[in-house]
Amino acid sequence: MELFKRMRKRGGGSSPASSSAVPAAADSGRLGGEVIALRLESGAAVPAECTAVLISQPSGQTRRIGAFGTPRLSLGEGEVAWCFHPGPYVFAVAPFPAASEAGLRVEFLIDAGDPRVQQQRFDLFLASEWCGAAGPLTVAGFGAGVQLAVQNALAEGLLDLPPCTSVEEWHAFRGGLNELLYTRFGVTVQDCYPIDLHPATDLAATLAATLATYRARPDAPSDAAPPTVTRRNAAPTAAAQPAAAPSAAAGIVPSAVAPAGASTPTAATATGAAAIVPVEGGDGEAAAGSASRSAPAAGSARGHAPFAGHPAAQPAPQFAPVSESAPAPQSSPAKAATSAAADAFALRRLFLELPPATTALRMITPPASAFATQQELLQRLSLAALDVNTMPSLAWKTPGQPLPEAAQGARAAAAEQATTALNTIWSLLAKLKQAPEADIGQLFDEADRLIANLEFALFARRSTGADNETMPAELQGGAISRERREPTLGNQ
Amino acid sequence: MTPLTPPRPPSAECRTILADGRVATITATRRPRANRAEVKCVVPGAPQLSETMQNVVRLARLTETRFDSRDQVVLSMDLMPAAADRNWELAAVLADRAVRSAWLPDSTPVVALGWSDRWHFGHISGSVNAATLAAAAIAAGAISAADNLLLGGDAAAEQTLDAEYLDHLGALTGHADPASAVSSARAWFPLHSGGINDALAWVEVSVSPLDAPATDEEETIAAPGLDLTAQLAVRQVLAAARHFDGKGLGRWKTVVRFAQQRFQGDSYQLALVMADRLARGREFIPRGRLIATGSSTAWHAGRVEPVEGRQPKTELILKQAAPGDRVLLPAAWQDELGADYKPALRAKGATLACVERIGLI
C-alpha cells in the first residue's frame, strides 16, 4: 500500500519538481567546485558522483543513497534531501582574527562513510546546522564556519599555533586540526599549509576603513564627561598623525546582542575577520560574502544564521549592554521573529547534537583514576540533553501568560550561548581523542567547565526574568551536586 | 599538554585612588557558584554602586574567551566613591581578572585608575587628572612609587610618572586592539641589569596605514624619546626585517615605544621585529605574551643570532612566564639551555622555540 502511495506521490509531484529543477541545475553544475551540498526535490535524480542524504526533519535521522544507477528520490513525510559531492575542496582561513594576513590553506574532502557508526558526522552536520537553510552549502559558507571553529579552538588553547612555529609544533597542530574538522564537521583534511593572504585581505585597507567608518559616525568626536586622552597624537612625530583616531570606533559586536541588520561594514572591519578567501574556484560571491559572514546577524535572510557568533565575544550576556554603536531599533515583530528563529535553530542543534556528543565522550577510554569523573560528566551531559528536550517555549511564561519581548531576547541569547558551549565541547572531544593518558585529567576538568557553562546557559534559557530564581540542585554542576546524598529512613 | 590556567588565588586585591585623594581597595574573592549569580558586588550602603560595578565587570568579561561559570566572584570596596567618580572601574575589572587568574600582575600591590563606556569592547578611557591624583598620592605617601601603577587611556605626553598606560584590555598581553584604526602590539624582552633589577620590558610597535607611498622606509618609522643612535638602530632593524617579509615595505607609518628609554645592547631586536609582525597582522598570535631575546646582523635574511647574558635572562624568563606565553630564543642557545628548561617552561604553561630565522617554520 505504501508503495502505491509513493508512486502516486511521485507522479503527482513530477511537474513542480521539474519546474524547480531549473535553478537546481545551475547549482548542480557547481557541485564539487564552489558548492558542497545542494537540496534536492522529491523525484529528482541524484547527480553523478554525489551522495544523497535523506533527513527526517522532526527526528534528525539520516540515511544515505548513493548515485549508483541514478536512482530517483522519493521522500517520505517530513523528509528533505540534500546531496553532496565528495570534493576535494579548497579554501583559506585566517586562524587569528587579529592576524588577518596570516592564513592557512585547507584542502578537504568528504570521505566515504565509516560503516561502523550509526550516523556519519557530516550527515549530522547537515541535519542539524544546514537542513533548514534556503541556499546551497557553499565552500565559502562552510569555510566561515570552519574559521570560527579554528579561531575558537586556538583561543581556548585546544589547538596551538604559536609564532615561529617549529616543525613538531606544526605537526601537532595539523593532527589537532584534522581531528577537529572530522569531529566537528565530519570532513577529512587532505592538505593544509600556511599561506599569505595579503593581496586579498589588506590590513592597512581594513584599518583605513575602520577610521573612515569612525569618522562617518554622526556622533564621532565624543565629548564624554571626563576628558579622554587622545590616542597617540601625543607622540611628537609626524608619523603618528592619523593615529589620532580614538579607540572608540565600533568594536567586536557581541554577537548575541547585536540585533539583525547591524551595519555590516562596521562589524566586518571591526572584527578584522573578513578573511575567508577561497583560493581556487571562488568568485565575486565569496568576496562580497565575506562581509556578511563576519556580521553574524546578516544571515537572517536565511531565516537563521548558521555559524553565528564570534569567538572573542563568546559568553552571551543575559543583559543588553548599552552600546552607542547599536544600530537603529527595528520594528518589534521583525526582532521577535529573528529571536524566535535563532532560538529554534539553537535548540534544534542542542537536541540533535547533545546525544552524539555524549556518545563520543563515552568512547574515550579514561585512565582508571578518572573513571568516576567520566561517569559524572556523562550523567550531566545526559541531564543537559533532557533539559533541552523539556525546554519551555520561547513566548510563554506560563500557560496564558506571555513573556515580555526583552525576556524572550534574553532567552534566545541564552540558547545561543548554549550552542557556543556545545561547539567548544566538540573541539574538546577532538582534543580528547588524541590526548595521551596523562592529559585526560586536565581535559576532563575543561569538560567540567564547559558542561557547567552549558547548564548555566540552559538555566538562563528557562528563566522568566524574575529575580529570585535559583538553579535546582540536581541541575547544577560543581561541588554541591557531586556530594552524594545517602538515602535516609528518617523523616526530617 | 600545557596547563591552560595557573593555580588560582583565593582572593585578589586592587587599589584605586578616589577623586578626593583617598585610596580605596577593591577585594575580589572566589567561591563555588552554587546557585548564585556569577558576579556579586558589595559596597556597604550603596546598592546602586554595587549594581553598576556588577554591570561593569560583566561587560568586561565579554571580551574573554574562556568563560567559566563554576565560580562566583565577590567584589567588595571599602570606601564609597563620589557619585561622578568612575576611576575605580578599571580596578574592579582587574581584581575580577586577577582572582580568576585571567590576568597575572607582575607585582603587587596594583593601583589602577581608569573608566570606560565600552567595557564590552575592552576599551579603557583615562582622565587627565588620573596622573595628577597618582602623583599626589605618591607624594602624600598613600601609595608607594614602587607599586604597579596602571592608568587607563593612552600614554600622555608627560612621562614623569612610572606608570603603565592601557587603552584596551588586550594590551595586558600585548595584543592589538581589533576595533582601533591603529594596530599596536607589544612583545617583551628580558633586561639584565645585575640581578635584583632584572625585569621583562616591553617594546610596542604601532602601525597605521600610510597615505602615500614613502620613498624611504626608514623615514616612516619613529621612535620618540630614544636618543639618535638608538633611533637609527631601531629604524634599520625594522626596515631590514620588513624587507625580509616581502609585503611590509611602503605600507605603514610606525611608532615604536619602549617601556624603559635607557638600556644598552641590542637584545631587544627580536622582540621588536616580532612585535612589528604581530602589529602588521602577519604572524600567528600567542595566547599570552610574546617574550623574545636575540639580535641579528642580517635581518634582511631573517636570521637570529645569540646575545649576551644567557644564564640570567633564561632564568628571568622562566620566573616570569605565565600560561599562554611564547618564548623565542636564538637557536645557538638550544644546546646550552639544559634538558630541563623546556619542560620547566611547559609546566608553567608557556612554550619555547629556539629559532634560527623568523617566519613560518
Side-chain angles (χ1 to χ4, degrees):
Chain A
M1 200 59 212
E2 183 68 17
L3 185 67
F4 291 128
K5 262 195 228 163
R6 282 200 172 175
M7 295 299 285
R8 210 180 312 137
K9 214 182 292 169
R10 189 195 295 174
S14 66
S15 55
S18 58
S19 68
S20 69
V22 179
D27 274 340
S28 64
R30 292 157 56 198
L31 265 176
E34 301 155 45
V35 174
I36 301 176
L38 198 64
R39 188 162 170 177
L40 292 181
E41 299 297 327
S42 185
V46 182
E49 296 181 46
C50 292
T51 309
V53 180
L54 270 62
I55 303 162
S56 159
Q57 268 190 317
S59 66
Q61 284 168 326
T62 56
R63 60 198 167 95
R64 283 189 173 191
I65 295 177
F68 183 70
T70 62
R72 291 197 169 268
L73 295 171
S74 62
L75 299 181
E77 196 74 26
E79 273 188 335
V80 292
W82 284 76
C83 73
F84 67 84
H85 192 280
Y89 303 94
V90 173
F91 62 89
V93 296
F96 297 95
S100 54
E101 292 188 14
L104 298 174
R105 178 189 182 275
V106 182
E107 187 179 337
F108 72 92
L109 51 80
I110 300 156
D111 224 337
D114 182 354
R116 292 167 299 179
V117 296
Q118 196 184 5
Q119 187 180 35
Q120 304 300 328
R121 183 63 181 90
F122 185 73
D123 299 359
L124 175 63
F125 166 74
L126 273 184
S128 82
E129 290 183 58
W130 215 266
C131 179
L137 173 58
T138 58
V139 176
F142 185 78
V146 170
Q147 171 162 287
L148 276 179
V150 171
Q151 287 180 351
N152 194 21
L154 282 165
E156 293 266 351
L158 297 172
L159 288 180
D160 234 351
L161 188 59
C164 292
T165 320
S166 64
V167 177
E168 307 90 70
E169 283 167 334
W170 174 256
H171 287 316
F173 171 75
R174 267 302 305 277
L177 181 78
N178 293 358
E179 193 59 58
L180 171 66
L181 291 201
Y182 187 73
T183 314
R184 169 82 172 79
F185 298 101
V187 301
T188 311
V189 179
Q190 258 196 331
D191 197 8
C192 168
Y193 54 83
I195 54 165
D196 189 353
L197 292 176
H198 168 243
T201 48
D202 191 339
L203 181 62
T206 313
L207 291 183
T210 310
L211 190 61
T213 315
Y214 170 70
R215 285 194 177 142
R217 276 181 3 155
D219 57 332
S222 70
D223 36 350
T228 56
V229 179
T230 323
R231 278 177 66 90
R232 277 187 197 100
N233 54 356
T237 66
Q241 264 185 6
S247 46
I252 295 168
V253 181
S255 64
V257 295
S263 68
T264 314
T266 311
T269 51
T271 52
I276 286 267
V277 183
V279 176
E280 296 168 10
D283 58 4
E285 187 218 331
S290 66
S292 66
R293 255 175 280 117
S294 51
S300 60
R302 271 202 304 267
H304 61 73
F307 306 134
H310 188 276
Q314 191 212 22
Q318 293 105 52
F319 51 91
V322 188
S323 135
E324 294 110 303
S325 61
Q330 292 182 318
S331 60
S332 67
K335 205 161 141 193
T338 313
S339 70
D343 180 73
F345 175 63
L347 284 185
R348 182 177 155 80
R349 272 201 65 193
L350 290 165
F351 165 69
L352 290 181
E353 292 185 26
L354 274 177
T358 317
T359 313
L361 180 60
R362 190 171 279 120
M363 298 297 282
I364 309 289
T365 316
S369 58
F371 179 74
T373 322
Q374 190 193 26
Q375 291 303 307
E376 188 208 312
L377 292 175
L378 286 170
Q379 192 184 7
R380 284 170 60 197
L381 264 181
S382 307
L383 276 175
L386 178 68
D387 199 14
V388 169
N389 296 352
T390 57
M391 198 54 84
S393 76
L394 181 72
W396 298 94
K397 190 189 273 180
T398 56
Q401 270 194 42
L403 197 65
E405 201 174 275
Q408 288 188 27
R411 275 188 169 183
E416 282 184 31
Q417 188 186 357
T419 53
T420 314
L422 175 70
N423 287 342
T424 320
I425 286 175
W426 280 117
S427 311
L428 182 73
L429 284 168
K431 178 94 183 169
L432 267 170
K433 282 184 192 172
Q434 293 189 322
E437 218 170 62
D439 292 348
I440 289 206
Q442 194 196 344
L443 289 171
F444 275 174
D445 185 54
E446 284 291 291
D448 181 43
R449 171 178 76 90
L450 292 173
I451 295 172
N453 289 355
L454 183 68
E455 288 163 342
F456 182 69
L458 288 178
F459 174 70
R461 170 62 182 78
R462 276 181 184 273
S463 115
T464 56
D467 279 341
N468 51 357
E469 289 176 347
T470 53
M471 264 167 101
E474 65 271 16
L475 278 183
Q476 76 202 1
I480 290 185
S481 66
R482 250 170 259 156
E483 284 169 16
R484 193 186 146 96
R485 196 171 292 158
E486 295 295 332
T488 53
L489 291 174
N491 47 353
Q492 61 258 16
Chain B
M1 182 184 170
T2 55
L4 295 170
T5 50
R8 295 174 297 176
S11 74
E13 274 187 6
C14 194
R15 296 196 211 164
T16 186
I17 305 168
L18 302 183
D20 53 7
R22 293 178 298 167
V23 175
T25 306
I26 294 182
T27 312
T29 53
R30 210 161 35 76
R31 56 182 180 180
R33 198 177 69 82
N35 48 14
R36 300 174 283 237
E38 76 275 32
V39 185
K40 183 185 176 185
C41 299
V42 189
V43 186
Q48 191 65 45
L49 185 67
S50 310
E51 203 172 314
T52 315
M53 193 190 290
Q54 190 182 33
N55 276 342
V56 163
V57 171
R58 277 181 169 167
L59 287 175
R61 280 188 181 192
L62 287 177
T63 60
E64 290 175 41
T65 310
R66 253 183 79 89
F67 175 54
D68 195 339
S69 67
R70 288 176 295 184
D71 287 334
Q72 185 192 38
V73 172
V74 185
L75 292 160
S76 69
M77 195 167 171
D78 57 351
L79 295 178
M80 168 85 186
D85 186 9
R86 291 180 63 191
N87 274 331
W88 52 265
E89 291 184 358
L90 179 60
V93 170
L94 291 181
D96 170 57
R97 295 209 165 190
V99 78
R100 292 177 292 123
S101 285
W103 169 63
L104 295 176
D106 295 332
S107 63
T108 50
V110 179
V111 183
L113 286 95
W115 65 279
S116 175
D117 278 336
R118 301 183 183 83
W119 279 119
H120 48 299
F121 298 148
H123 286 293
I124 310 169
S125 310
S127 55
V128 277
N129 62 350
T132 324
L133 278 174
I138 290 173
I143 61 172
S144 144
D147 287 354
N148 192 354
L149 183 60
L150 298 163
L151 298 182
D154 200 358
E158 29 137 9
Q159 292 278 349
T160 51
L161 214 55
D162 181 21
E164 181 123 2
Y165 289 87
L166 301 170
D167 53 2
H168 68 114
L169 286 170
L172 288 169
T173 44
H175 293 179
D177 184 356
S180 172
V182 179
S183 176
S184 63
R186 282 182 187 180
W188 277 258
F189 60 97
L191 261 187
H192 174 52
S193 53
I196 192 155
N197 290 322
D198 284 2
L200 286 184
W202 50 256
V203 51
E204 183 183 77
V205 176
S206 312
V207 295
S208 58
L210 199 58
D211 297 330
T215 49
D216 185 8
E217 184 71 15
E218 291 188 22
E219 279 175 16
T220 64
I221 300 168
L226 289 189
D227 59 52
L228 279 179
T229 337
Q231 235 176 64
L232 193 65
V234 163
R235 286 178 167 186
Q236 281 172 348
V237 165
L238 276 191
R242 287 179 183 181
H243 182 268
F244 169 69
D245 192 358
K247 301 277 178 62
L249 289 173
R251 293 171 64 200
W252 301 103
K253 289 179 192 176
T254 315
V255 179
V256 179
R257 283 170 41 211
F258 285 89
Q260 294 196 13
Q261 307 280 349
R262 266 166 280 147
F263 55 84
Q264 287 181 337
D266 51 6
S267 72
Y268 66 87
Q269 288 184 355
L270 181 58
L272 173 70
V273 168
M274 293 309 291
D276 179 51
R277 290 173 69 89
L278 287 176
R280 288 186 291 120
R282 301 187 56 82
E283 186 62 80
F284 299 142
I285 295 170
R287 273 188 301 126
R289 299 175 296 179
L290 196 151
I291 305 171
T293 186
S295 72
S296 176
T297 50
W299 279 118
H300 60 271
R303 208 162 61 208
V304 179
E305 290 160 8
V307 290
E308 288 173 1
R310 175 184 57 80
Q311 183 74 20
K313 283 179 179 171
T314 49
E315 276 171 14
L316 175 70
I317 289 174
L318 181 58
K319 202 168 69 188
Q320 299 268 349
D325 285 355
R326 173 69 165 175
V327 180
L328 296 178
L329 301 177
W333 288 5
Q334 177 113 48
D335 300 329
E336 306 162 25
L337 280 177
D340 55 345
Y341 189 70
K342 197 168 185 176
L345 268 178
R346 282 192 79 81
K348 295 193 84 169
T351 57
L352 169 73
C354 293
V355 291
E356 199 174 0
R357 55 180 61 247
I358 54 173
L360 291 171
I361 312 178

